[in-house]
């Protein structure tokens, strides 16, 4: 049976710790450069991407494999060829699918009908590769993740959902501040809490960042929600991560953002470009973590 990575919870907790360690080792140069020798990974992207696309393409190559990028609009997928058909065809050509799309159920269809690993490169519901890299970025500074408080200030979106799952797997305390109507999915939250995660939800950013060591945010309108931009700007007024809000967090708290950023909306220019911001290290870690995820899938 192929291994898939659709959400962080697909990696058993003890193995997730190992993935984290391996990502750090790879960052330090210990890379299995033949891991993917002779393997082709297809990358199907239905949404734009810079970091995820390039870090996977470079990462697959560094592990000795061949990435093949498919922009869905240029393929028959963009002309409504059913995914269940594409899954069976592509499984006969390649050794894995790295997919950025809309609904999570599309990945589930690829898993059901294909017989090669499927990796979630972002859906409307989750962004697990990003949060694995974000956990690596925090772990480098705070190896005991159980000691940290992570604050999420913004939309209860794909990033927030993966941070919720990450709280189950890695044991950090998570405080979410989301405006009314933009809270995370309650089933995802309830499930994480039932698995032992310590997560609070408020509509007050100051309450969420109190004593927090890492402050995360994201755009207010995600890909596919562009027409809601103005409505969301109103709903998210007061949610900018600025110097005043950072001043309410723990001393020496760090600011993080998955990028791309809208300066002056979800974060002020001064915080984004300031000394507490670790966004470039965070972006770099996408590359190391993609390779660790690929190793987790293909090492056996
Ligand atoms: N953070 C992130 O996933 O960036 P891209 O959309 O550029 O891949
Ligand atoms: N929430 C954002 C993340 C982009 C990396 C989106 O889905 O557009």
């Amino acid at each position: 049976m192929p291994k898939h990575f659709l959400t962080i919870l697909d990696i058993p907790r003890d193995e997730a710790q190992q993935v984290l360690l391996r990502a750090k080792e790879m960052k330090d140069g210990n890379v299995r450069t033949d891991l993917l020798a002779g393997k082709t990974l297809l990358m199907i992207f239905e949404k734009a991407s810079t970091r995820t696309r390039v870090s996977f393409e470079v990462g697959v190559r560094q592990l000795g494999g061949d990435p093949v990028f498919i922009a869905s609009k240029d393929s028959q997928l963009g002309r409504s060829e059913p995914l269940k058909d594409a899954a069976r065809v592509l499984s006969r050509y390649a050794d894995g699918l790295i997919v950025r799309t809309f609904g999570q159920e599309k990945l589930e269809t690829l898993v059901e009908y294909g017989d090669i690993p499927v990796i979630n490169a972002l859906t409307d519901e989750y962004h697990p590769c990003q949060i694995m890299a974000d956990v690596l970025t925090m772990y480098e500074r705070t190896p005991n993740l159980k000691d940290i408080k992570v604050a999420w200030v913004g939309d209860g979106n794909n990033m927030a959902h993966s941070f919720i799952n990450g709280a189950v797997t890695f044991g950090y305390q998570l405080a979410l501040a989301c405006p009314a109507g933009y809270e995370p999915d309650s089933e995802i939250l309830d499930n994480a809490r039932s698995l032992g995660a310590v997560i609070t939800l408020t509509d007050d950013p100051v309450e969420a960042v109190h004593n927090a060591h890492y402050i995360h945010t994201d755009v207010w309108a995600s890909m596919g929600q562009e027409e809601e931009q103005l409505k969301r700007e109103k709903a998210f007024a007061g949610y900018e991560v600025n110097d005043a809000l950072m001043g309410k967090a723990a001393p020496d708290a760090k600011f993080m953002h998955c990028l791309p950023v809208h300066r002056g909306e979800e974060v002020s220019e001064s915080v984004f470009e300031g000394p507490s911001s670790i966004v470039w290290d965070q972006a770099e870690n996408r590359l190391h973590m993609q390779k660790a995820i690929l190793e987790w899938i293909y090492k056996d």
Side-chain angles (χ1 to χ4, degrees):
M1 284 292 283
K3 269 184 184 170
H4 305 287
F5 184 56
L6 302 197
T7 81
I8 289 180
L9 298 179
D10 287 339
I11 307 183
R13 282 185 224 192
D14 51 331
E15 294 179 36
Q17 199 62 36
Q18 187 59 23
V19 173
L20 203 53
L21 288 173
R22 278 298 295 144
K24 182 75 180 89
E25 287 175 7
M26 293 206 212
K27 187 170 184 175
D28 294 336
N30 178 354
V31 177
R32 285 174 59 183
T33 54
D34 61 350
L35 181 85
L36 297 180
K39 291 192 163 43
T40 301
L41 273 79
L42 302 179
M43 302 176 55
I44 303 172
F45 278 49
E46 296 199 293
K47 294 176 177 172
S49 172
T50 299
R51 282 145 288 270
T52 309
R53 173 180 175 173
V54 176
S55 58
F56 263 121
E57 289 200 32
V58 171
V60 167
R61 286 203 174 90
Q62 289 181 353
L63 296 175
D66 280 318
V68 173
F69 184 80
I70 305 168
S72 64
K73 66 177 171 29
D74 298 333
S75 74
Q76 299 293 3
L77 288 168
R79 296 178 60 244
S80 305
E81 179 171 21
L83 270 183
K84 61 184 182 182
D85 296 357
R88 285 171 282 187
V89 173
L90 298 175
S91 287
R92 295 180 182 216
Y93 297 154
D95 303 285
L97 298 173
I98 299 169
V99 184
R100 171 167 285 200
T101 187
F102 293 88
Q104 185 80 0
E105 73 284 353
K106 290 187 167 192
L107 300 188
E108 285 155 11
T109 299
L110 290 170
V111 166
E112 184 181 347
Y113 286 91
D115 53 17
I116 55 177
V118 177
I119 297 175
N120 183 350
L122 181 147
T123 59
D124 291 343
E125 287 86 355
Y126 297 106
H127 197 2
C129 294
Q130 175 74 52
I131 273 54
M132 290 295 290
D134 295 353
V135 171
L136 171 63
T137 309
M138 297 188 287
Y139 168 79
E140 289 179 305
R141 290 162 176 81
T142 321
N144 193 351
L145 291 167
K146 294 187 171 54
D147 286 347
I148 65 170
K149 178 177 174 184
V150 175
W152 175 262
V153 179
D155 193 15
N157 62 10
N158 44 10
M159 288 285 299
H161 292 153
S162 287
F163 269 116
I164 290 169
N165 284 345
V168 174
T169 302
F170 295 105
Y172 52 76
Q173 186 193 335
L174 178 64
L176 303 147
C178 309
Y182 296 92
E183 297 94 346
D185 183 290
S186 58
E187 270 184 38
I188 294 172
L189 192 52
D190 291 346
N191 178 58
R193 284 173 168 156
S194 76
L195 293 171
V198 178
I199 304 174
T200 59
L201 173 62
T202 174
D203 63 1
D204 180 0
V206 173
E207 185 185 326
V209 305
H210 179 66
N211 285 337
H213 305 97
Y214 296 94
I215 316 301
H216 293 258
T217 188
D218 186 13
V219 292
W220 293 337
S222 285
M223 288 182 277
Q225 299 171 335
E226 288 82 359
E227 74 289 352
E228 297 177 28
Q229 177 69 28
L230 288 178
K231 183 178 115 189
R232 285 171 172 263
E233 280 175 24
K234 289 197 184 80
F236 286 82
Y239 277 72
E240 182 188 65
V241 179
N242 51 30
D243 292 304
L245 191 64
M246 288 300 291
K248 305 284 186 193
D252 202 30
K254 302 298 181 203
F255 172 76
M256 298 178 67
H257 192 303
C258 61
L259 309 179
V261 66
H262 288 175
R263 289 169 166 87
E265 285 184 28
E266 72 270 13
V267 58
S268 68
E269 173 82 7
S270 59
V271 168
F272 186 74
E273 295 286 0
S276 64
S277 175
I278 54 172
V279 298
W280 312 122
D281 286 350
Q282 181 183 2
E284 177 189 335
N285 281 340
R286 298 297 309 278
L287 173 62
H288 309 299
M289 184 48 80
Q290 311 297 41
K291 288 187 286 188
I293 292 166
L294 289 165
E295 188 178 272
W296 173 73
I297 292 174
Y298 289 98
K299 69 179 184 303
D300 302 321

